[in-house]
Amino acid sequence: MTAVSAFPITPASPDGTVDLVALRRLVATLVTAKVDSIGLLGSTGSYPYLARTERQRALDVALDEAGGAVPVLVGVGALRTDEAVRLAQDARAAGAAAGLLAPVSYTPLTDDEVFEHFATVARESGLPLCIYDNPGTTHFTFSPELIGRLSQLDGIVAVKCPAPAPESVAGHVRNLRGIVRDAFSLGYSGDWNAVEALLAGGEVWYSVVAGLFPATAMTLVDAVRQGDADEARRLNTRLAPLWTLFKSFSSLRVMYAAADLMGLCRAEPPRPILPLSIEAKRQVAETLRELDLI
C-alpha cells in the first residue's frame, strides 16, 4: 500500500527548548489530515540539534496528540552507538511505532561499522528501525548490498532512501526488492522525485511538504493509489515552483519560513542555520499563494 509519512519541523527556542504548544498544533494538523504516519525528529525536525531530554518531551507530546490514531516514528540518530541505543530505548518506552536511524558521523564510517551500529541499536533497544539513508547530511551512502544485509536482521524493517532521478528510480526499486527480505518496506524521500518512486513500486513517501501541507500530499498519493499516473504527475508538476525553492534554499529553511507565514509558529531554524532572507521569504510567500497553500 502506498503511504504518506509526514515530517514536521520541531519548533524550539534559541536555547533548544521545544515549543510544545506549537508542536502539538503541527501534529494535530497531521492527525486531522489522516496521514499514514508521522516522522518526528527527522532532518526536517532538526533532531541532531536537540538534547535527549528535549527529544523526549517532543515525542511525548506528539504521541499524546496522535492518540494512537496515527503511528509515530521518531529519529534516534546520534554520533555514538550507545547514545543511539538510549534514544531508541526511550522511544520504545514512550510508545513510538519505530525509530528512524541515520549513521550520524564525524569520522567517515565503513559499511561494517554502520552494520554493527544498526545491529546493536536494534538488538539492545527492541525498537523496530527504519534505515535512514541521507547522504546529504551524514555523508554516508548505503549501497544496495548493505541495505540487503541489514534487512535480514531482526528489527530492521524499512528503509528511507533519497529518491533517484525519474529515469533511474524503477531500476532502484527493482534492485532493492530483489535483495531485501519479504515484507521489508521500501520508502523514498526527496519530494520532487517521490511521485516517480511511488509509481515504480515504492511503498512510502517520507514527505517534507506533508509536514505542513498534508492534504496536498495526500491528494497526490491518492492519485497513485488509484492508478492514475497522469494525475499524480500533473499534481507533482504543479508543485514544481515549491520544489525549486526546496532545491535553492533547502526544504528545512523553506518549511520554517512557511510555518511562520501560516502563523503556526514563530520559531527559527537551530543555529548556526540562519532563517531565510527577507527576499527569499518573499519568494516563499509568493509561491505558496500561487499554489493556494496559504
Side-chain angles (χ1 to χ4, degrees):
M1 176 181 176
T2 304
V4 174
S5 187
F7 281 64
I9 64 172
T10 308
S13 67
D15 68 359
T17 301
V18 176
D19 183 341
L20 298 180
V21 173
L23 179 60
R24 186 179 290 276
R25 189 181 304 126
L26 293 172
V27 172
T29 301
L30 305 181
V31 174
T32 299
K34 299 181 179 179
V35 297
D36 300 289
S37 66
I38 295 169
L40 190 74
L41 301 179
S43 294
T44 303
S46 304
Y47 74 94
Y49 300 93
L50 297 173
R52 180 182 174 188
T53 53
E54 292 306 308
R55 293 197 195 191
Q56 185 68 61
R57 293 175 71 238
L59 178 57
D60 288 342
V61 162
L63 289 169
D64 181 66
E65 190 61 38
V70 181
V72 176
L73 65 152
V74 60
V76 295
L79 272 171
R80 293 179 58 90
T81 298
D82 53 4
E83 181 63 13
V85 168
R86 286 189 286 269
L87 290 165
Q89 290 171 336
D90 290 347
R92 184 187 181 196
L100 186 63
L101 181 58
V104 183
S105 65
Y106 179 81
T107 299
L109 300 175
T110 68
D111 281 11
D112 286 342
E113 288 167 339
V114 170
F115 182 88
E116 184 59 30
H117 179 65
F118 274 75
T120 301
V121 176
R123 181 180 64 251
E124 297 189 12
S125 73
L127 180 72
L129 297 178
C130 175
I131 300 166
Y132 189 5
D133 184 6
N134 189 3
T137 59
T138 65
H139 308 294
F140 179 87
T141 300
F142 284 84
S143 66
E145 292 73 22
L146 180 56
I147 293 172
R149 285 176 63 198
L150 287 168
S151 78
Q152 307 304 317
L153 295 176
D154 290 340
I156 311 291
V157 299
V159 64
K160 174 183 182 288
C161 296
E167 63 272 15
S168 304
V169 69
H172 190 273
V173 173
R174 185 168 57 251
N175 188 22
L176 283 183
R177 183 51 65 200
I179 59 178
V180 299
R181 62 176 171 79
D182 293 343
F184 186 83
S185 173
L186 301 182
Y188 290 88
S189 59
D191 283 2
W192 46 91
N193 286 333
V195 166
E196 292 302 325
L198 296 177
L199 291 171
E203 295 157 283
V204 184
W205 175 17
Y206 295 100
S207 174
V208 172
V209 75
L212 283 182
F213 308 105
T216 298
M218 294 295 288
T219 299
L220 193 154
V221 168
D222 282 343
V224 176
R225 287 170 174 163
Q226 294 163 15
D228 193 343
D230 289 342
E231 177 63 4
R233 289 178 173 126
R234 185 191 72 79
L235 292 169
N236 186 61
T237 298
R238 181 177 180 273
L239 293 172
L242 183 57
W243 304 153
T244 297
L245 292 177
F246 279 12
K247 295 172 187 177
S248 297
F249 303 120
S250 85
S251 58
L252 173 69
R253 295 182 181 90
V254 172
M255 286 295 99
Y256 268 94
D260 181 53
L261 289 164
M262 297 166 71
L264 292 172
C265 66
R266 299 302 178 191
E268 294 183 352
R271 295 296 174 96
I273 303 170
L274 296 175
L276 292 181
S277 67
I278 293 174
E279 172 57 25
K281 193 170 182 180
R282 183 190 64 77
Q283 292 180 45
V284 173
E286 288 181 355
T287 298
L288 295 180
R289 291 190 189 101
E290 289 171 359
L291 295 174
D292 296 321
L293 293 176
I294 61 172

